[in-house]
Amino acid sequence: RSIYKLEKEESIPDGMCIDTEGKLWVACYDGGRVIRLDPETGKRLQTVKLPVDKTTSCCFGGKDYSEMYVTSASDGMDKESLSRQPQAGGIFKV
């Protein structure tokens, strides 16, 4: 079933994961963010913006799963885009 319709600035859904509270996190490819959704109500609960556009996936780790790791891509980016986003293709800890 569909639980949420992405806003235009959220762009394309990519990798996803569920946190310890049962909420869904979605990496927004070309949206530069990860969003947290309540799968029961369909409401967006949180937005984490990143310094890169192409967020690809997310997962939780650390001793108590309080750290979120977000991957990103740099494929298809030209030199100008890469100069504006030098961290593209990196992994981020939130």
Side-chain angles (χ1 to χ4, degrees), residues 68-83:
M68 180 170 56
Y69 296 90
V70 181
T71 59
S72 68
S74 62
D75 288 349
M77 295 177 70
D78 60 25
K79 286 183 180 184
E80 183 181 329
S81 296
L82 285 169
S83 69

Side-chain angles (χ1 to χ4, degrees), residues 38-87:
D38 185 328
E40 297 299 318
T41 66
K43 295 199 182 295
R44 182 181 56 219
L45 303 172
Q46 189 174 355
T47 300
V48 177
K49 292 188 178 179
L50 294 147
V52 295
D53 288 339
K54 297 181 177 200
T55 53
T56 56
S57 194
C58 53
C59 68
F60 286 91
K63 193 186 296 186
D64 58 356
Y65 297 101
S66 64
E67 300 170 343
M68 180 170 56
Y69 296 90
V70 181
T71 59
S72 68
S74 62
D75 288 349
M77 295 177 70
D78 60 25
K79 286 183 180 184
E80 183 181 329
S81 296
L82 285 169
S83 69
R84 286 193 317 269
Q85 297 180 39
Q87 295 175 297

